[in-house]
Amino acid sequence: MALIQIRSLAKSFGTSKSLVKAVDGVDLDIQAGEFLTLLGPSGSGKTTVLRMIAGFETPDSGSILLNGKDITNLPAYERDVNTVFQDYALFPHMDVISNIEYGLKVKGVEKSERRKQALVALEQVRLSGYENRKPSQLSGGQRQRVALARALVNRPSVLLLDEPLGALDLKLRQQMQIELKQLQRQVGITFVFVTHDQEEALTMSDRIAVFDRGKIQQIDKPAAIYERPKNSFVADFVGVSNLITGSSATAILGKSGTYTVRPERITLGNVASGQRVANGVIKEVEYLGPATRFLVELDTGISLVALRQNTSQSSVDVEALRNTKTTLSWDISSEYEVAG
Ligand code: ADP
Ligand code: MG
């Protein structure tokens, strides 16, 4: 049995005249110990789902079960879940250790015991030695670790994280992604993680639920989401869509329908036998360091993005390719049909 079972969950905001269906019929099973990510653009309903699991928002309809028990209408403080927000929400006047102990204090845990548990949590987030600092004396990344420790110390079955790394700069963010994933493995707590960043979702998750307009478009393992997107929304949101459709599909693939080919599967020049071939002109060249991205306008009218590893060419060499003719090719096995 899944740890969390969400059935037909719905929530609207506003008046009958201007109603926003924030969550529009969500079914979701979350397994114990899983790192599940809710991924989608801003306004797609991710936070509202999380807030309903936490108990900060009441659903219009549907149900949420935790460990087989219906918690749909249970107050937030009676749920075995904890939430970590992007803005940390630490108590500014309390030092780090008091911030972490706070939840245990409220529960009536005795002083020496809660100190002991808080120190363990502080060590788990690798902040031993920082117990007497105030939040204002910490960096953004350190504050986020304290917020994590404060949630972990309660040993919840489920930790809900709403864009927790959103305020951090890219480098720190990438480092925290790895640490957070390691921490989750180590403590074994189920994480429900919200992000609008597809790369972050692909890096960290056991499974990803892709949201659009209050609905789950696809739920699957990261590689499956990336390589076998169910529809053009998922293909587009979780990467570069590279959709071949209509007359281009007929001309290049000899079949009708809508197909996607990932940029890293497309080769410039060097056609091997048995491969698909499409001619066009290189319109844009983007040097990314380890790789170069090419935007190629095909003779059939559509444009495809191709990604090439920079194993030998320098940036000067690739820039010279702008506005030159090229031939794209890929294995037929790299084509994947998506719903329109
Ligand atoms: P996400 O987290 O994916 O960005 P949200 O769940 O925050 O999306 O929001 C989904 C939709 O519901 C948006 O259109 C948002 O404006 C609306 N919404 C969310 N919360 C409220 C609220 N308290 N009052 C009115 N509209 C809301
Ligand atoms: Mg949100």
Side-chain angles (χ1 to χ4, degrees):
M1 185 187 69
L3 181 68
I4 298 178
Q5 294 168 285
I6 296 175
R7 293 291 174 268
S8 309
L9 198 65
K11 176 77 181 178
S12 295
F13 294 105
T15 58
S16 56
K17 271 191 179 162
S18 66
L19 203 66
V20 178
K21 282 187 178 174
V23 177
D24 190 11
V26 162
D27 292 294
L28 180 59
D29 278 349
I30 304 171
Q31 307 301 327
E34 182 172 34
F35 194 121
L36 180 95
T37 296
L38 314 184
L39 171 70
S42 172
S44 57
K46 310 178 298 289
T47 292
T48 306
V49 168
L50 213 66
R51 288 175 58 82
M52 288 193 281
I53 299 174
F56 301 139
E57 208 78 73
T58 312
D60 295 337
S61 56
S63 60
I64 304 172
L65 273 66
L66 177 63
N67 258 324
K69 184 180 163 216
D70 193 329
I71 61 162
T72 316
N73 296 305
L74 211 61
Y77 61 86
E78 284 182 28
R79 301 182 185 203
D80 190 13
V81 301
N82 263 247
T83 311
V84 178
F85 301 99
Q86 181 182 323
D87 60 7
Y88 322 127
L90 299 176
F91 300 117
H93 59 284
M94 288 186 192
D95 62 11
V96 164
I97 199 78
S98 310
N99 260 286
I100 298 172
E101 280 182 24
Y102 183 78
L104 299 176
K105 195 175 169 183
V106 170
K107 278 190 205 159
V109 177
E110 176 262 323
K111 193 171 168 128
S112 67
E113 180 57 29
R114 63 178 195 250
R115 179 59 47 112
K116 203 174 97 193
Q117 292 182 23
L119 287 171
V120 170
L122 201 59
E123 213 217 311
Q124 283 175 332
V125 298
R126 307 202 301 146
L127 272 186
S128 299
Y130 285 75
E131 34 282 48
N132 297 319
R133 296 234 194 153
K134 291 279 171 59
S136 61
Q137 296 170 310
L138 300 173
S139 70
Q142 290 167 339
R143 266 179 242 172
Q144 191 51 275
R145 283 165 212 254
V146 175
L148 256 177
R150 196 176 54 171
L152 287 173
V153 81
N154 296 310
R155 299 254 135 221
S157 306
V158 182
L159 197 58
L160 308 172
L161 304 105
D162 195 354
E163 312 239 6
L165 310 180
L168 308 178
D169 64 56
L170 182 65
K171 204 145 189 163
L172 187 57
R173 190 181 171 117
Q174 289 172 336
Q175 184 194 331
M176 284 291 287
Q177 287 169 1
I178 295 166
E179 280 189 28
L180 202 56
K181 179 71 203 164
Q182 283 174 344
L183 181 70
Q184 189 263 343
R185 282 208 192 101
Q186 178 196 328
V187 298
I189 294 174
T190 308
F191 276 31
V192 185
F193 184 91
V194 165
T195 183
H196 64 272
D197 183 328
Q198 43 97 2
E199 222 174 274
E200 185 161 285
L202 292 171
T203 317
M204 301 179 75
S205 321
D206 294 320
R207 283 191 309 154
I208 300 172
V210 183
F211 275 72
D212 182 35
R213 285 169 291 168
K215 288 189 163 74
I216 295 180
Q217 299 296 320
Q218 187 171 359
I219 176 157
D220 228 322
K221 294 197 165 83
I225 294 273
Y226 185 75
E227 295 187 10
R228 296 190 296 280
K230 243 189 188 158
N231 55 39
S232 51
F233 174 82
V234 177
D236 194 29
F237 193 74
V238 189
V240 177
S241 53
N242 269 356
L243 295 178
I244 306 171
T245 189
S247 57
S248 288
T250 318
I252 302 169
L253 315 176
K255 53 189 175 185
S256 59
T258 301
Y259 300 83
T260 178
V261 184
R262 291 297 179 187
E264 63 275 20
R265 299 286 181 90
I266 299 178
T267 310
L268 275 90
N270 299 336
V271 183
S273 71
Q275 285 189 313
R276 295 285 191 216
V277 179
N279 295 309
V281 175
I282 296 172
K283 286 293 178 185
E284 296 290 341
V285 180
E286 227 183 321
Y287 179 71
L288 306 173
T292 301
R293 190 154 47 203
F294 298 91
L295 178 73
V296 178
E297 193 179 292
L298 300 181
D299 298 345
T300 62
I302 60 163
S303 294
L304 292 181
V305 174
L307 196 70
R308 183 167 78 181
Q309 298 300 312
N310 290 334
T311 44
S312 55
Q313 297 86 357
S314 76
S315 60
V316 181
D317 296 331
V318 294
E319 278 298 329
L321 293 171
R322 199 187 300 268
N323 290 321
T324 62
K325 286 188 176 179
T326 190
T327 301
L328 298 184
S329 60
W330 58 88
D331 280 337
I332 294 173
S333 63
S334 301
E335 284 161 16
Y336 184 73
E337 186 169 15
V338 297

